[in-house]
């Protein structure tokens, strides 16, 4: 078996921000064997390594002076099932939304609210993707990886992943040490759908659906997302640029006296409240503004967009301006959700 590296590869079509940046070397791996061969090349070259999934949660700010390896390990397998649940193992290079549709098609419940999130299955545990009241951590049983330093396999059980709000050990203590190759999901056979978040219930009511199936929920989520979020195929972006900041509840109460219409979500930690970053950005006047080739989306203030030909640095400069205004107005530090490369 032989794996070929390409040199000075333009990554524009491999990131949803559609930013031009060159990788010094680049290769695609479709199996663990190919990955291990490529890791041997990385070791010999002593160069930096970047793993790429769908490129929907990263921003290139410069050319990458190292090796970029794109994960295309496919395959979905049912490992076991009983009357209540099923354990499904999925190759990390499968497209997340296609995996969701597979589950919906089979009647396996748990991920339907996460429909249409771009990217790969392998990246889903890294920031514990979440939407419409559901986080992927609630369905993950284990995460299989290759350890870069040893090229050995390692399996993390969900409770070893330290999942948090858009967070896990793969972004913290174990950052850059493992390549995720497979994810095992525990999905339910008896669906208890979650329609409480956002506009899901409203969409179902409009359609006269009284007892929604997981397909109904996934269809509603797809419709809502299409109406609200820019499609990266048409307008470069990486979804929410910032995380919703978690602030002490006392600070939130103080803000609420000044801004009674501010909404909130429960924080991950005791005594903390999640404030809506989109609301803070909108209130600070940025929604719909354009600066050069970049701007803040007109419908969704959390999304920074590339109107065409933008550099990563332009995106960073705009994000810094937004952070400055939000800090000045509300005393809150916004933290990027997107991985800055
Ligand atoms: C329009 C839009 C909407 C979005 N909506 C949401 C949303 O609702 N909720 C949400 O949580 N996210 C959302 N996102 C963000 C994004 O879709 C997710 O973070 C997704 O999981 C990223 O997957 P990816 O394969 O594209 O990762 P990439 O962007 O390719 O990589 C992200 C990071 O993970 C690392 N990585 C990727 N794969 C692996 C692997 N197999 N092993 C080790 N490291 C790896 C990369 O090195 C990088 O640091 C949205 C993005 C867009 C563009």
């Amino acid at each position: 078996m032989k794996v070929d590296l390409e040199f000075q590869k333009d990554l524009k079509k491999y990131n949803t921000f559609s930013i031009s940046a060159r990788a010094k070397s680049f290769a695609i791996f479709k199996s663990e064997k190919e990955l291990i061969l490529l890791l041997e090349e990385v070791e010999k070259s002593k160069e930096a390594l970047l793993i790429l999934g769908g490129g929907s949660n990263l921003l290139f700010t410069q050319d990458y002076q190292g090796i970029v390896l794109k994960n295309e390990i496919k395959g979905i397998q049912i490992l076991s099932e009983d009357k209540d649940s099923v354990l499904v193992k999925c190759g990390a290079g499968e497209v997340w939304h296609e995996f969701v549709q597979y589950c919906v098609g089979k009647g396996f419940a748990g991920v339907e609210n996460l429909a249409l999130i771009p990217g790969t299955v392998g990246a889903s545990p890294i920031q514990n993707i979440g939407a419409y009241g559901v986080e992927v951590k609630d369905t993950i049983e284990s995460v299989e990886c290759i350890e870069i330093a040893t090229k050995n396999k390692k399996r993390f059980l969900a409770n070893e992943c330290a999942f948090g709000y858009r967070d896990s050990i793969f972004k913290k203590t174990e950052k850059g040490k493992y390549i995720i190759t497979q994810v095992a999901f525990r999905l339910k056979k008896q669906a208890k759908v979650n329609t409480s978040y956002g506009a899901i219930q409203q969409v179902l009511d409009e359609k006269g659906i009284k007892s929604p199936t997981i397909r109904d929920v996934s269809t509603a989520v797809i419709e809502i997302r299409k109406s609200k979020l820019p499609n990266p195929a048409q307008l470069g972006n990486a979804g929410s640029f910032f995380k919703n900041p978690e602030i002490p509840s006392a600070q939130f109460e103080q803000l609420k006296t000044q801004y009674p219409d501010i909404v909130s979500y429960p924080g991950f930690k005791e005594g903390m409240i999640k404030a809506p970053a989109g609301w803070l950005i909108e209130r600070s006047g940025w929604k719909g503004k354009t600066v050069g080739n970049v701007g803040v989306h007109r419908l969704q203030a959390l999304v920074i967009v590339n109107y065409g030909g933008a550099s990563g640095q332009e995106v960073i400069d705009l994000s810094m301006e937004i952070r400055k205004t939000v800090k000045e107005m509300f005393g809150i530090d916004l933290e990027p959700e997107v991985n800055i490369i």
Side-chain angles (χ1 to χ4, degrees):
M1 189 186 288
K2 194 172 161 289
V3 280
D4 289 321
L5 285 171
E6 291 176 67
F7 301 100
Q8 294 304 324
K9 176 90 172 170
D10 187 359
L11 300 172
K12 188 172 175 182
K13 72 169 187 186
Y14 295 107
N15 70 98
T16 61
F17 247 124
S18 242
I19 301 277
S20 270
R22 286 186 183 279
K24 191 171 171 197
S25 342
F26 174 90
I28 291 174
F29 60 93
K30 292 180 191 273
S31 66
E32 283 181 16
K33 275 195 185 133
E34 288 181 0
L35 171 60
I36 286 171
L37 287 178
L38 285 162
L39 286 179
E40 282 163 4
E41 295 297 316
V42 173
E43 200 168 58
K44 272 189 241 153
S45 73
K46 298 197 166 50
E47 291 197 332
L49 169 65
L50 174 71
I51 301 299
L52 194 60
S56 64
N57 196 28
L58 46 79
L59 173 68
F60 289 109
T61 54
Q62 54 194 325
D63 289 340
Y64 190 74
Q65 301 300 341
I67 302 180
V68 173
L69 299 182
K70 181 172 185 317
N71 172 17
E72 287 189 7
I73 297 179
K74 303 277 185 185
I76 303 180
Q77 234 184 313
I78 295 177
L79 294 184
S80 63
E81 58 188 305
D82 55 35
K83 69 176 187 2
D84 300 320
S85 72
V86 55
L87 186 62
V88 182
K89 185 155 122 171
C90 185
E94 288 283 352
V95 172
W96 172 260
H97 180 65
E98 286 172 14
F99 173 65
V100 172
Q101 290 313 296
Y102 163 87
C103 295
V104 168
K106 294 265 183 198
F108 300 160
V111 288
E112 56 282 357
N113 292 45
L114 305 176
L116 215 62
I117 296 181
T120 53
V121 166
S124 68
I126 294 178
Q127 74 152 4
N128 178 25
I129 57 169
Y132 294 94
V134 170
E135 289 183 320
V136 76
K137 73 174 175 58
D138 299 326
T139 58
I140 290 179
E141 176 129 327
S142 63
V143 178
E144 248 175 62
C145 308
I146 299 284
E147 187 179 20
I148 296 171
T150 60
K151 297 179 219 62
N152 290 335
K153 274 195 195 186
K154 160 112 188 166
R155 194 160 70 106
F156 291 90
L157 297 176
N159 64 10
E160 297 171 315
C161 294
F163 288 122
Y165 165 60
R166 299 294 180 276
D167 208 10
S168 73
I169 45 164
F170 303 109
K171 285 184 81 174
K172 289 220 167 94
T173 51
E174 306 309 305
K175 188 176 162 100
K177 294 187 189 165
Y178 294 94
I179 299 168
I180 297 173
T181 51
Q182 304 278 338
V183 183
F185 298 87
R186 171 76 60 187
L187 300 154
K188 294 198 174 69
K189 286 186 173 171
Q190 302 303 322
K192 193 173 167 294
V193 293
N194 176 351
T195 62
S196 60
Y197 201 95
I200 300 180
Q201 191 57 53
Q202 189 191 326
V203 170
L204 295 170
D205 288 345
E206 278 164 14
K207 294 182 177 181
I209 298 172
K210 295 223 163 43
S211 309
T213 61
I214 56 171
R215 186 176 293 284
D216 294 328
V217 172
S218 127
T219 306
V221 167
I222 292 169
E223 278 175 25
I224 299 165
R225 292 184 70 100
K226 279 188 174 163
S227 71
K228 276 193 168 176
L229 286 168
N231 177 351
Q234 286 147 11
L235 194 57
N237 76 91
S240 303
F241 195 88
F242 299 104
K243 290 188 188 185
N244 287 323
E246 291 213 300
I247 58 174
S249 37
Q251 187 184 358
F252 182 80
E253 288 311 320
Q254 178 75 28
L255 268 178
K256 206 164 167 65
T257 56
Q258 256 178 299
Y259 304 96
D261 60 327
I262 187 170
V263 290
S264 66
Y265 313 106
F268 228 87
K269 291 183 215 116
E270 187 85 13
M272 301 292 275
I273 297 281
K274 234 193 273 168
W279 186 94
L280 298 170
I281 297 167
E282 188 172 341
R283 275 308 175 93
S284 55
W286 280 104
K287 193 174 181 182
K289 276 204 177 159
T290 301
V291 182
N293 296 315
V294 294
V296 177
H297 192 249
R298 67 188 170 84
L299 297 178
Q300 178 47 273
L302 254 184
V303 178
I304 297 183
V305 294
N306 170 8
Y307 285 110
S311 67
Q313 194 53 50
E314 278 180 277
V315 176
I316 290 291
D317 291 347
L318 175 60
S319 75
M320 297 305 278
E321 286 302 313
I322 296 170
R323 290 172 82 168
K324 191 164 154 254
T325 326
V326 168
K327 176 80 180 170
E328 280 166 8
M329 262 185 90
F330 303 103
I332 293 177
D333 285 310
L334 289 182
E335 197 190 317
E337 179 181 311
V338 171
N339 295 278
I340 316 287
I341 311 287

